[in-house]
PDB file of all heavy atoms in Angstrom:
ATOM      1  N   GLU D  37      25.046   2.329  20.507  1.00 98.00           N
ATOM      2  CA  GLU D  37      25.894   2.965  19.497  1.00 98.00           C
ATOM      3  C   GLU D  37      26.953   3.884  20.128  1.00 98.00           C
ATOM      4  O   GLU D  37      27.983   4.145  19.490  1.00 98.00           O
ATOM      5  CB  GLU D  37      25.016   3.797  18.534  1.00 98.00           C
ATOM      6  CG  GLU D  37      23.925   3.029  17.844  1.00 98.00           C
ATOM      7  CD  GLU D  37      24.448   2.015  16.817  1.00 98.00           C
ATOM      8  OE1 GLU D  37      25.691   2.003  16.594  1.00 98.00           O
ATOM      9  OE2 GLU D  37      23.640   1.217  16.273  1.00 98.00           O
ATOM     10  N   ALA D  38      26.695   4.349  21.315  1.00 97.00           N
ATOM     11  CA  ALA D  38      27.635   5.203  22.040  1.00 97.00           C
ATOM     12  C   ALA D  38      27.101   5.342  23.458  1.00 97.00           C
ATOM     13  O   ALA D  38      26.010   4.866  23.788  1.00 97.00           O
ATOM     14  CB  ALA D  38      27.791   6.564  21.391  1.00 97.00           C
ATOM     15  N   LEU D 141      23.653  10.810   8.341  1.00 98.00           N
ATOM     16  CA  LEU D 141      24.205   9.497   7.930  1.00 98.00           C
ATOM     17  C   LEU D 141      23.729   9.086   6.517  1.00 98.00           C
ATOM     18  O   LEU D 141      24.552   8.794   5.628  1.00 98.00           O
ATOM     19  CB  LEU D 141      23.893   8.445   8.931  1.00 98.00           C
ATOM     20  CG  LEU D 141      24.777   8.290  10.152  1.00 98.00           C
ATOM     21  CD1 LEU D 141      24.195   7.234  11.076  1.00 98.00           C
ATOM     22  CD2 LEU D 141      26.204   7.899   9.732  1.00 98.00           C
ATOM     23  N   ARG D 145      25.816   8.931   2.591  1.00 96.00           N
ATOM     24  CA  ARG D 145      25.777   7.795   1.692  1.00 96.00           C
ATOM     25  C   ARG D 145      25.206   8.199   0.304  1.00 96.00           C
ATOM     26  O   ARG D 145      25.694   7.782  -0.755  1.00 96.00           O
ATOM     27  CB  ARG D 145      24.958   6.668   2.263  1.00 96.00           C
ATOM     28  CG  ARG D 145      25.532   6.120   3.583  1.00 96.00           C
ATOM     29  CD  ARG D 145      24.796   4.844   4.011  1.00 96.00           C
ATOM     30  NE  ARG D 145      25.080   4.521   5.426  1.00 96.00           N
ATOM     31  CZ  ARG D 145      24.248   4.776   6.407  1.00 96.00           C
ATOM     32  NH1 ARG D 145      23.081   5.330   6.195  1.00 96.00           N
ATOM     33  NH2 ARG D 145      24.595   4.449   7.667  1.00 96.00           N
ATOM     34  N   TYR D 158      32.104  16.330  12.336  1.00 98.00           N
ATOM     35  CA  TYR D 158      31.243  15.727  13.379  1.00 98.00           C
ATOM     36  C   TYR D 158      31.835  16.076  14.734  1.00 98.00           C
ATOM     37  O   TYR D 158      32.931  15.597  15.088  1.00 98.00           O
ATOM     38  CB  TYR D 158      31.197  14.212  13.163  1.00 98.00           C
ATOM     39  CG  TYR D 158      30.376  13.398  14.116  1.00 98.00           C
ATOM     40  CD1 TYR D 158      29.474  13.933  14.983  1.00 98.00           C
ATOM     41  CD2 TYR D 158      30.518  11.999  14.077  1.00 98.00           C
ATOM     42  CE1 TYR D 158      28.685  13.184  15.826  1.00 98.00           C
ATOM     43  CE2 TYR D 158      29.749  11.190  14.933  1.00 98.00           C
ATOM     44  CZ  TYR D 158      28.848  11.796  15.830  1.00 98.00           C
ATOM     45  OH  TYR D 158      28.128  11.004  16.657  1.00 98.00           O
ATOM     46  N   ARG D 163      34.496  11.517  22.619  1.00 97.00           N
ATOM     47  CA  ARG D 163      34.440  10.506  21.602  1.00 97.00           C
ATOM     48  C   ARG D 163      33.482   9.344  22.018  1.00 97.00           C
ATOM     49  O   ARG D 163      32.771   8.814  21.166  1.00 97.00           O
ATOM     50  CB  ARG D 163      35.826   9.920  21.348  1.00 97.00           C
ATOM     51  CG  ARG D 163      35.972   9.047  20.119  1.00 97.00           C
ATOM     52  CD  ARG D 163      37.405   8.607  19.902  1.00 97.00           C
ATOM     53  NE  ARG D 163      38.265   9.775  19.655  1.00 97.00           N
ATOM     54  CZ  ARG D 163      38.527  10.238  18.441  1.00 97.00           C
ATOM     55  NH1 ARG D 163      38.026   9.625  17.403  1.00 97.00           N
ATOM     56  NH2 ARG D 163      39.328  11.286  18.274  1.00 97.00           N
ATOM     57  N   MET D 166      29.895   9.824  20.898  1.00 98.00           N
ATOM     58  CA  MET D 166      29.652  10.095  19.504  1.00 98.00           C
ATOM     59  C   MET D 166      29.282   8.762  18.795  1.00 98.00           C
ATOM     60  O   MET D 166      30.133   7.884  18.660  1.00 98.00           O
ATOM     61  CB  MET D 166      30.852  10.784  18.876  1.00 98.00           C
ATOM     62  CG  MET D 166      31.192  12.116  19.543  1.00 98.00           C
ATOM     63  SD  MET D 166      32.712  12.888  19.000  1.00 98.00           S
ATOM     64  CE  MET D 166      32.222  13.395  17.308  1.00 98.00           C
ATOM     65  N   ALA D 167      28.058   8.676  18.318  1.00 98.00           N
ATOM     66  CA  ALA D 167      27.535   7.431  17.737  1.00 98.00           C
ATOM     67  C   ALA D 167      28.014   7.256  16.330  1.00 98.00           C
ATOM     68  O   ALA D 167      28.301   8.217  15.592  1.00 98.00           O
ATOM     69  CB  ALA D 167      26.024   7.444  17.809  1.00 98.00           C
ATOM     70  N   PHE D 168      28.028   6.001  15.892  1.00 98.00           N
ATOM     71  CA  PHE D 168      28.261   5.560  14.479  1.00 98.00           C
ATOM     72  C   PHE D 168      29.673   5.861  13.970  1.00 98.00           C
ATOM     73  O   PHE D 168      29.882   5.962  12.776  1.00 98.00           O
ATOM     74  CB  PHE D 168      27.203   6.205  13.569  1.00 98.00           C
ATOM     75  CG  PHE D 168      25.803   5.883  13.962  1.00 98.00           C
ATOM     76  CD1 PHE D 168      24.932   6.875  14.425  1.00 98.00           C
ATOM     77  CD2 PHE D 168      25.296   4.608  13.876  1.00 98.00           C
ATOM     78  CE1 PHE D 168      23.661   6.594  14.808  1.00 98.00           C
ATOM     79  CE2 PHE D 168      24.004   4.302  14.251  1.00 98.00           C
ATOM     80  CZ  PHE D 168      23.192   5.275  14.711  1.00 98.00           C
ATOM     81  N   LEU D 169      30.628   6.024  14.887  1.00 97.00           N
ATOM     82  CA  LEU D 169      31.987   6.306  14.396  1.00 97.00           C
ATOM     83  C   LEU D 169      32.555   5.116  13.627  1.00 97.00           C
ATOM     84  O   LEU D 169      33.302   5.318  12.652  1.00 97.00           O
ATOM     85  CB  LEU D 169      32.941   6.554  15.610  1.00 97.00           C
ATOM     86  CG  LEU D 169      32.644   7.860  16.405  1.00 97.00           C
ATOM     87  CD1 LEU D 169      33.641   8.029  17.529  1.00 97.00           C
ATOM     88  CD2 LEU D 169      32.668   9.079  15.482  1.00 97.00           C
ATOM     89  N   GLY D 170      32.140   3.910  13.983  1.00 96.00           N
ATOM     90  CA  GLY D 170      32.604   2.770  13.194  1.00 96.00           C
ATOM     91  C   GLY D 170      32.131   2.771  11.754  1.00 96.00           C
ATOM     92  O   GLY D 170      32.877   2.469  10.810  1.00 96.00           O
ATOM     93  N   GLU D 171      30.836   3.107  11.581  1.00 95.00           N
ATOM     94  CA  GLU D 171      30.279   3.174  10.210  1.00 95.00           C
ATOM     95  C   GLU D 171      30.979   4.267   9.399  1.00 95.00           C
ATOM     96  O   GLU D 171      31.250   4.115   8.210  1.00 95.00           O
ATOM     97  CB  GLU D 171      28.780   3.463  10.271  1.00 95.00           C
ATOM     98  CG  GLU D 171      27.944   2.315  10.787  1.00 95.00           C
ATOM     99  CD  GLU D 171      26.463   2.610  10.693  1.00 95.00           C
ATOM    100  OE1 GLU D 171      26.055   3.428   9.867  1.00 95.00           O
ATOM    101  OE2 GLU D 171      25.670   2.008  11.474  1.00 95.00           O
ATOM    102  N   LEU D 172      31.258   5.384  10.054  1.00 97.00           N
ATOM    103  CA  LEU D 172      31.858   6.515   9.350  1.00 97.00           C
ATOM    104  C   LEU D 172      33.285   6.307   9.008  1.00 97.00           C
ATOM    105  O   LEU D 172      33.822   6.951   8.062  1.00 97.00           O
ATOM    106  CB  LEU D 172      31.646   7.777  10.192  1.00 97.00           C
ATOM    107  CG  LEU D 172      30.210   8.281  10.319  1.00 97.00           C
ATOM    108  CD1 LEU D 172      30.125   9.317  11.423  1.00 97.00           C
ATOM    109  CD2 LEU D 172      29.681   8.799   9.000  1.00 97.00           C
ATOM    110  N   ALA D 173      33.981   5.419   9.734  1.00 96.00           N
ATOM    111  CA  ALA D 173      35.387   5.250   9.491  1.00 96.00           C
ATOM    112  C   ALA D 173      35.662   4.765   8.068  1.00 96.00           C
ATOM    113  O   ALA D 173      36.755   5.038   7.506  1.00 96.00           O
ATOM    114  CB  ALA D 173      35.964   4.232  10.486  1.00 96.00           C
ATOM    115  N   GLY D 174      34.739   4.082   7.484  1.00 94.00           N
ATOM    116  CA  GLY D 174      34.897   3.555   6.113  1.00 94.00           C
ATOM    117  C   GLY D 174      35.045   4.651   5.062  1.00 94.00           C
ATOM    118  O   GLY D 174      35.451   4.379   3.929  1.00 94.00           O
ATOM    119  N   PHE D 175      34.663   5.883   5.391  1.00 96.00           N
ATOM    120  CA  PHE D 175      34.737   6.979   4.421  1.00 96.00           C
ATOM    121  C   PHE D 175      36.102   7.723   4.454  1.00 96.00           C
ATOM    122  O   PHE D 175      36.281   8.682   3.709  1.00 96.00           O
ATOM    123  CB  PHE D 175      33.611   7.967   4.627  1.00 96.00           C
ATOM    124  CG  PHE D 175      32.244   7.418   4.335  1.00 96.00           C
ATOM    125  CD1 PHE D 175      31.346   7.143   5.346  1.00 96.00           C
ATOM    126  CD2 PHE D 175      31.869   7.156   3.028  1.00 96.00           C
ATOM    127  CE1 PHE D 175      30.093   6.639   5.072  1.00 96.00           C
ATOM    128  CE2 PHE D 175      30.594   6.634   2.725  1.00 96.00           C
ATOM    129  CZ  PHE D 175      29.721   6.363   3.742  1.00 96.00           C
ATOM    130  N   GLY D 176      36.993   7.274   5.322  1.00 96.00           N
ATOM    131  CA  GLY D 176      38.365   7.820   5.339  1.00 96.00           C
ATOM    132  C   GLY D 176      38.422   9.270   5.757  1.00 96.00           C
ATOM    133  O   GLY D 176      37.691   9.715   6.673  1.00 96.00           O
ATOM    134  N   VAL D 179      35.731  12.327   6.548  1.00 98.00           N
ATOM    135  CA  VAL D 179      35.052  12.499   7.821  1.00 98.00           C
ATOM    136  C   VAL D 179      36.024  13.034   8.852  1.00 98.00           C
ATOM    137  O   VAL D 179      37.102  12.447   9.128  1.00 98.00           O
ATOM    138  CB  VAL D 179      34.474  11.122   8.299  1.00 98.00           C
ATOM    139  CG1 VAL D 179      33.869  11.274   9.687  1.00 98.00           C
ATOM    140  CG2 VAL D 179      33.421  10.634   7.330  1.00 98.00           C
ATOM    141  N   VAL D 181      36.276  13.896  12.630  1.00 98.00           N
ATOM    142  CA  VAL D 181      35.678  13.697  13.957  1.00 98.00           C
ATOM    143  C   VAL D 181      36.396  14.623  14.948  1.00 98.00           C
ATOM    144  O   VAL D 181      37.646  14.595  15.099  1.00 98.00           O
ATOM    145  CB  VAL D 181      35.833  12.225  14.413  1.00 98.00           C
ATOM    146  CG1 VAL D 181      35.289  12.061  15.818  1.00 98.00           C
ATOM    147  CG2 VAL D 181      35.116  11.319  13.439  1.00 98.00           C
TER     148      VAL D 181
END
Side-chain angles (χ1 to χ4, degrees):
E37 304 290 354
L141 276 176
R145 299 188 194 102
Y158 181 13
R163 192 177 296 270
M166 299 173 71
F168 303 112
L169 293 182
E171 290 185 26
L172 292 168
F175 292 109
V179 175
V181 177

